[in-house]
Amino acid sequence: MRLITHNMLKCHVKNCTDPNKQFPLRFKDVQLEQVEAERNDEFLVRMLPRLDWPALLKTSKELNISLPQSIPENPSEDEEFLQALHTFILETHVKEGSMVCNGCEHEYKISNGIPNMLLAEHEI
């Protein structure tokens, strides 16, 4: 699972105690893998408004991966920023582990890079 995907996932458990803690999900016991991908600067710049930057920063700290603290004024002209963003959201993959909701502690398993976001009947 790429980290760009993680930035768009939240907990959907019906009885989650605090909706403000449903996003971002925190990682637990994850195995990361770097998978080289072709960089597309236009895609990266177009995705910026859709990304939750504070959540990306929180995740980067959690995984001990360096990411710029803020989005530059002209991101399309900042080579270092674009490379860091590309590496983080598109080349960093979570292969195994889980994501945990900070509100209800529900655990979503990740196996072979695929997150299982399905809920049991009583959680819907």
Side-chain angles (χ1 to χ4, degrees):
M1 176 185 74
R2 293 177 177 179
L3 293 180
I4 191 172
T5 303
H6 173 261
N7 192 253
M8 298 176 188
L9 297 176
K10 71 175 193 172
C11 181
H12 290 286
V13 172
K14 175 176 58 175
N15 295 326
C16 192
T17 56
D18 187 348
N20 296 322
K21 293 183 178 179
Q22 293 174 324
F23 175 84
L25 300 171
R26 75 176 184 276
F27 284 117
K28 177 181 170 189
D29 301 326
V30 294
Q31 293 175 0
L32 299 179
E33 178 181 50
Q34 290 300 122
V35 179
E36 193 172 319
E38 186 176 333
R39 191 172 113 184
N40 181 332
D41 292 352
E42 184 180 336
F43 171 78
L44 292 169
V45 172
R46 282 195 337 250
M47 280 305 295
L48 277 173
R50 295 173 177 86
L51 297 172
D52 185 311
W53 196 258
L56 274 181
L57 288 176
K58 186 175 183 178
T59 301
S60 74
K61 288 179 182 147
E62 191 177 297
L63 298 175
N64 284 329
I65 299 173
S66 179
L67 195 62
Q69 292 299 301
S70 61
I71 300 171
E73 223 174 278
N74 294 316
S76 60
E77 299 172 10
D78 191 325
E79 177 71 25
E80 190 175 320
F81 172 79
L82 290 172
Q83 185 58 50
L85 179 62
H86 169 76
T87 300
F88 189 71
I89 67 170
L90 297 174
E91 293 188 331
T92 305
H93 291 236
V94 179
K95 296 302 287 176
E96 302 289 334
S98 59
M99 299 176 293
V100 181
C101 175
N102 292 306
C104 67
E105 297 297 316
H106 183 81
E107 196 166 316
Y108 298 92
K109 299 282 185 198
I110 302 167
S111 180
N112 293 320
I114 302 170
N116 182 354
M117 300 300 290
L118 298 175
L119 299 174
E121 190 73 30
H122 69 279
E123 297 170 319
I124 299 174

